[in-house]
Amino acid sequence: MAKTATLKIDDQELELPVIIGSEGEKAVDVRKLRSTTGYITYDEGYGNTGSCQSEITYIDGEAGILRYRGYPIEQLAEGFSFEDVSYLVIYGELPTPEQSAEFSARLRNEAPIREGMVRFVQGFPRGAHPMAVLSSSLNALGAYHSQMASNNHERDLKHFDEAAAIAMAKVRTIAAHSYRVVRGKPLNYPRPDLDYSENFLHLMFSEPYEEYKATPEVASAINLFLLLHAEHEQNCSTSTVRMVASAGANLFASTSAGVSALWGPLHGGANQAVLEMLNTIHANGDDGSRFIEAAKDGKARLMGFGHRVYKNYDPRAKIIKGSFDKALESLGITDDPLLDIARRLEAAALSDDYFISRKLYPNVDFYSGLIMNALKIPVDMFTVMFAIGRMPGWIAQWHEVASNPKSRINRPRQVYMGPVPRDVM
Ligand code: CMC
């Protein structure tokens, strides 16, 4: 017999169905709660709320497990390309060699943006944050590809393969263009002979007088960074993408909203905030201990620490940290004061009762900012890089919403605490 939960309220007893996920996750189905009892659930911050059923990513935060479509992140991080992992996330299976070649060719063909879009991106002022440019430009893509941005999911889905390739290929081009525009540099055009990560570095760093050549170590560090960020179930930006998609919005509008959510320092913006925090600690002549005390007193937040879901080491942080020394060695970096501070902060936090009792561990952003800093990626591009990496996840999640015939508009309720009726006179 199917398991149920019993809720007793106002002398009424209600049997609520229980849903068990494929990994044994348990959920009480409250969809009939309000219509039967008049009550709603209250869960500010959604810490106990399942907003959907999804087949894309599994996380066990207590055990520090992350799997894309069933495959452990540790296995995918061992030598898979970001393109193939993106294919897995979007389509559910790792590609065959033919599918991989076809997907790469599609990304290559879609890499340039139209000249109108180039002018649009060039219109942003110097000094603009590249995340502002990225979010607006992604939404603008819908204007240039209106046949797949009709805001009719049935029609948009007919062009899904093309739209997915456009979003994945062009997010990288727009990101690199935004970097160059806000610095007043001339734009580079994508090169068909380079892979996804190498092309990104070329678009960012090639100069008219000198072609940028990525070393294999740098290209592989970028590949790893993107792959580790490819998908992470119902985080703030992905929930935003699903929320916007639930209203019927197209892929470009939905992912553009995701970029805006990602920008926040409690989410993707944390990688930029980690580096800024380390710089401040360094500039103040602190070895990290004063900052830790301030965090414990609630006067500061240790950026790159803590996670809503992981109550253990973030598995992505473990992988990044593991690859870090190798990357630094290949770059000839032996002495880095920020890295020393980061290591001290980590050791201090991991042995401090405040952090232990709250299960606050380093998350993916703690070391990723340092890696990108070592790779000479400018700080304001860190979150943009996160957005490029997360695009396959957003695409897959948009597709789940758009292709679900039972999908309903996402519309939470509230508990009203404002004034009761009163008269103006
Ligand atoms: N430094 C100091 N104290 C912290 C921190 C931190 N980074 N994170 C949480 N706490 C404390 C918090 O003050 C609270 O203490 P108390 O119980 O005494 O009130 C307790 O730990 C629980 O924290 P919370 O704010 O209720 O946790 P949350 O699940 O709402 O927030 C978080 C999760 C990631 C927003 C938060 O840990 C944080 O702000 N971390 C720093 C920002 C960061 O690194 N974000 C990147 C997350 S990973 C990348 C991504 O997927 O976005």
Side-chain angles (χ1 to χ4, degrees):
M1 212 172 78
K3 197 171 168 176
T4 57
T6 310
L7 176 78
K8 209 167 162 199
I9 200 157
D10 295 343
D11 299 327
Q12 196 183 350
E13 221 171 81
L14 179 65
E15 292 285 305
L16 295 165
V18 164
I19 297 172
I20 311 281
S22 59
E23 289 278 358
E25 277 178 311
K26 303 183 281 285
V28 178
D29 179 349
V30 296
R31 280 176 292 181
K32 295 263 161 38
L33 179 65
R34 187 174 177 278
S35 59
T36 322
T37 66
Y39 283 83
I40 60 167
T41 56
Y42 177 67
D43 185 24
E44 197 167 326
Y46 309 131
N48 302 277
T49 298
S51 59
C52 61
Q53 296 186 28
S54 177
E55 297 178 2
I56 303 167
T57 292
Y58 174 66
I59 298 177
D60 179 337
E62 276 71 31
I65 290 173
L66 167 62
R67 297 187 199 126
Y68 297 162
R69 302 283 189 181
Y71 293 113
I73 190 69
E74 293 78 9
Q75 290 180 20
L76 296 170
E78 285 286 329
F80 279 90
S81 72
F82 173 60
E83 291 182 28
D84 282 356
V85 169
S86 300
Y87 186 99
L88 167 71
V89 168
I90 296 172
Y91 294 107
E93 295 296 337
L94 282 163
T96 62
E98 293 73 33
Q99 287 167 331
S100 173
E102 195 192 316
F103 189 56
S104 292
R106 233 184 280 143
L107 296 185
R108 217 170 25 245
N109 292 340
E110 294 297 349
I113 56 173
R114 302 216 185 133
E115 283 307 312
M117 271 293 288
V118 171
R119 285 194 294 280
F120 177 79
V121 175
Q122 279 171 328
F124 285 91
R126 273 192 193 209
H129 197 291
M131 283 296 274
V133 180
L134 186 65
S135 168
S136 336
S137 306
L138 267 179
N139 203 2
L141 272 183
Y144 289 89
H145 302 278
S146 50
Q147 74 284 17
M148 55 196 80
S150 69
N151 285 355
N152 173 316
H153 282 165
E154 213 179 309
R155 275 209 297 274
D156 289 351
L157 281 171
K158 290 195 179 120
H159 303 278
F160 176 69
D161 290 344
E162 201 185 339
I166 287 173
M168 268 209 59
K170 295 194 197 312
V171 69
R172 172 196 53 185
T173 309
I174 293 168
H177 284 358
S178 74
Y179 161 78
R180 296 190 65 85
V181 161
V182 303
R183 284 163 177 81
K185 287 170 173 280
L187 303 186
N188 294 312
Y189 285 81
R191 272 179 43 186
D193 56 319
L194 299 179
D195 75 15
Y196 196 91
S197 304
E198 291 166 337
N199 229 333
F200 175 66
L201 291 161
H202 151 72
L203 284 163
M204 289 262 290
F205 297 129
S206 282
E207 298 297 347
Y209 49 86
E210 191 175 15
E211 190 73 11
Y212 176 89
K213 284 215 167 38
T215 64
E217 290 82 10
V218 170
S220 109
I222 297 286
N223 180 71
L224 180 68
F225 173 91
L226 296 175
L227 180 159
L228 291 177
H229 286 80
E231 168 47 28
H232 213 236
E233 52 118 303
Q234 304 315 316
N235 53 79
C236 181
S237 57
T238 302
S239 298
T240 302
V241 169
R242 287 189 83 117
M243 171 75 84
V244 175
S246 80
N250 67 73
L251 178 70
F252 306 110
S254 305
T255 53
S256 148
V259 171
S260 300
L262 189 75
W263 194 1
L266 298 186
H267 189 13
N271 53 16
Q272 174 170 346
V274 167
L275 209 82
E276 287 164 355
M277 171 188 77
L278 294 173
N279 273 317
T280 308
I281 293 173
H282 185 49
N284 290 341
D286 177 12
D287 65 353
S289 44
R290 273 190 278 146
F291 195 87
I292 295 240
E293 287 312 309
K296 284 160 63 176
D297 286 347
K299 294 189 186 116
R301 204 145 251 246
L302 188 51
M303 301 312 283
F305 259 73
H307 198 277
R308 172 61 62 80
V309 177
Y310 292 121
K311 301 302 167 199
N312 200 325
Y313 232 105
D314 179 336
R316 303 166 299 174
K318 248 191 208 164
I319 296 169
I320 288 212
K321 194 181 166 197
S323 71
F324 196 48
D325 290 336
K326 222 165 60 188
L328 288 187
E329 201 181 308
S330 82
L331 293 164
I333 300 171
T334 48
D335 188 26
D336 181 351
L338 295 191
L339 182 58
D340 290 342
I341 294 173
R343 286 188 175 132
R344 272 201 303 276
L345 272 183
E346 182 185 0
L350 290 178
S351 59
D352 191 298
D353 231 26
Y354 175 94
F355 293 90
I356 295 169
S357 62
R358 289 168 179 76
K359 299 194 168 120
L360 299 171
Y361 288 83
N363 59 48
V364 69
D365 293 317
F366 193 66
Y367 277 103
S368 64
L370 282 162
I371 290 231
M372 283 189 288
N373 195 43
L375 297 178
K376 306 236 171 344
I377 307 282
V379 178
D380 62 354
M381 287 299 288
F382 289 5
T383 316
V384 172
M385 294 276 302
F386 191 153
I388 299 174
R390 186 52 54 84
M391 186 51 85
W394 290 335
I395 292 170
Q397 301 271 353
W398 179 88
H399 188 267
E400 257 189 4
V401 176
S403 58
N404 178 3
K406 292 199 176 132
S407 176
R408 298 177 76 200
I409 189 165
N410 288 6
R411 203 312 187 175
R413 288 192 175 259
Q414 63 165 14
V415 181
Y416 176 67
M417 295 296 204
V420 293
R422 50 186 172 157
D423 294 320
V424 285
M425 288 184 298

Short mmCIF file of all heavy atoms in Angstrom, two decimals, residues 265-266 269-270 273-274 277 291 301-305 345 363 365-366:
data_model
loop_
_atom_site.label_atom_id
_atom_site.label_comp_id
_atom_site.label_asym_id
_atom_site.label_seq_id
_atom_site.Cartn_x
_atom_site.Cartn_y
_atom_site.Cartn_z
N PRO A 265 25.55 38.06 -4.45
CA PRO A 265 26.73 37.54 -3.75
C PRO A 265 26.47 36.32 -2.87
O PRO A 265 27.41 35.62 -2.51
CB PRO A 265 27.19 38.73 -2.89
CG PRO A 265 26.01 39.62 -2.78
CD PRO A 265 25.19 39.42 -4.01
N LEU A 266 25.21 36.04 -2.53
CA LEU A 266 24.94 34.83 -1.75
C LEU A 266 24.89 33.61 -2.66
O LEU A 266 24.88 32.47 -2.21
CB LEU A 266 23.63 34.95 -0.97
CG LEU A 266 23.58 36.06 0.06
CD1 LEU A 266 22.30 35.99 0.87
CD2 LEU A 266 24.79 36.05 0.98
N GLY A 269 27.55 35.18 -7.30
CA GLY A 269 28.41 36.34 -7.06
C GLY A 269 29.40 36.09 -5.93
O GLY A 269 30.31 36.90 -5.70
N ALA A 270 29.25 34.95 -5.22
CA ALA A 270 30.15 34.67 -4.10
C ALA A 270 31.59 34.48 -4.56
O ALA A 270 32.52 34.78 -3.81
CB ALA A 270 29.67 33.43 -3.34
N ALA A 273 33.02 37.73 -4.55
CA ALA A 273 33.07 38.23 -3.17
C ALA A 273 34.19 37.56 -2.37
O ALA A 273 34.79 38.18 -1.49
CB ALA A 273 31.72 38.00 -2.49
N VAL A 274 34.51 36.29 -2.69
CA VAL A 274 35.59 35.59 -1.96
C VAL A 274 36.91 36.31 -2.22
O VAL A 274 37.67 36.60 -1.29
CB VAL A 274 35.70 34.11 -2.42
CG1 VAL A 274 37.00 33.48 -1.94
CG2 VAL A 274 34.52 33.30 -1.93
N MET A 277 37.00 39.56 -0.46
CA MET A 277 37.20 39.34 0.99
C MET A 277 38.69 39.05 1.28
O MET A 277 39.27 39.65 2.20
CB MET A 277 36.33 38.17 1.43
CG MET A 277 36.58 37.68 2.84
SD MET A 277 35.67 36.16 3.19
CE MET A 277 36.67 34.93 2.34
N PHE A 291 39.06 38.26 10.91
CA PHE A 291 37.87 38.14 10.05
C PHE A 291 36.97 37.01 10.55
O PHE A 291 35.74 37.14 10.58
CB PHE A 291 38.27 37.89 8.59
CG PHE A 291 37.13 38.11 7.65
CD1 PHE A 291 36.88 39.37 7.13
CD2 PHE A 291 36.29 37.07 7.29
CE1 PHE A 291 35.80 39.59 6.28
CE2 PHE A 291 35.21 37.28 6.44
CZ PHE A 291 34.98 38.54 5.93
N ARG A 301 30.52 37.97 6.87
CA ARG A 301 30.14 36.65 6.38
C ARG A 301 31.36 36.06 5.71
O ARG A 301 32.04 36.74 4.92
CB ARG A 301 29.00 36.81 5.36
CG ARG A 301 28.16 35.56 5.24
CD ARG A 301 26.72 35.88 5.01
NE ARG A 301 25.95 35.57 6.20
CZ ARG A 301 25.03 34.60 6.27
NH1 ARG A 301 24.74 33.90 5.21
NH2 ARG A 301 24.38 34.36 7.39
N LEU A 302 31.68 34.85 6.06
CA LEU A 302 32.83 34.21 5.44
C LEU A 302 32.39 33.72 4.06
O LEU A 302 31.76 32.66 3.94
CB LEU A 302 33.29 33.05 6.33
CG LEU A 302 34.59 32.37 5.96
CD1 LEU A 302 35.73 33.36 5.77
CD2 LEU A 302 34.98 31.36 7.03
N MET A 303 32.71 34.51 3.03
CA MET A 303 32.24 34.18 1.69
C MET A 303 32.92 32.90 1.22
O MET A 303 34.09 32.66 1.52
CB MET A 303 32.50 35.34 0.72
CG MET A 303 31.84 36.64 1.14
SD MET A 303 30.09 36.47 1.60
CE MET A 303 29.31 36.33 0.01
N GLY A 304 32.16 32.07 0.47
CA GLY A 304 32.72 30.80 0.02
C GLY A 304 32.56 29.71 1.06
O GLY A 304 33.08 28.61 0.90
N PHE A 305 31.82 30.02 2.13
CA PHE A 305 31.55 29.02 3.16
C PHE A 305 30.05 28.88 3.34
O PHE A 305 29.31 29.85 3.27
CB PHE A 305 32.18 29.45 4.49
CG PHE A 305 33.46 28.73 4.77
CD1 PHE A 305 34.61 29.05 4.06
CD2 PHE A 305 33.52 27.70 5.70
CE1 PHE A 305 35.79 28.38 4.28
CE2 PHE A 305 34.70 27.02 5.94
CZ PHE A 305 35.84 27.36 5.23
N LEU A 345 42.28 30.48 6.56
CA LEU A 345 40.85 30.66 6.85
C LEU A 345 40.14 29.32 6.89
O LEU A 345 39.36 29.03 7.78
CB LEU A 345 40.19 31.51 5.75
CG LEU A 345 40.18 33.02 5.87
CD1 LEU A 345 39.40 33.60 4.71
CD2 LEU A 345 39.53 33.46 7.18
N ASN A 363 32.50 25.99 0.07
CA ASN A 363 31.70 25.63 -1.10
C ASN A 363 32.51 25.86 -2.37
O ASN A 363 33.68 26.27 -2.30
CB ASN A 363 30.37 26.39 -1.10
CG ASN A 363 30.57 27.90 -1.11
OD1 ASN A 363 31.34 28.42 -1.90
ND2 ASN A 363 29.87 28.59 -0.22
N ASP A 365 32.70 28.08 -4.48
CA ASP A 365 33.23 29.41 -4.76
C ASP A 365 34.50 29.73 -3.99
O ASP A 365 35.19 30.69 -4.30
CB ASP A 365 32.17 30.48 -4.44
CG ASP A 365 31.00 30.38 -5.40
OD1 ASP A 365 31.26 30.22 -6.59
OD2 ASP A 365 29.85 30.45 -4.95
N PHE A 366 34.79 28.95 -2.96
CA PHE A 366 35.93 29.31 -2.11
C PHE A 366 37.24 29.22 -2.89
O PHE A 366 38.05 30.14 -2.87
CB PHE A 366 35.98 28.40 -0.87
CG PHE A 366 36.94 28.92 0.17
CD1 PHE A 366 36.70 30.13 0.81
CD2 PHE A 366 38.09 28.23 0.48
CE1 PHE A 366 37.58 30.63 1.75
CE2 PHE A 366 38.98 28.73 1.43
CZ PHE A 366 38.72 29.92 2.06
#
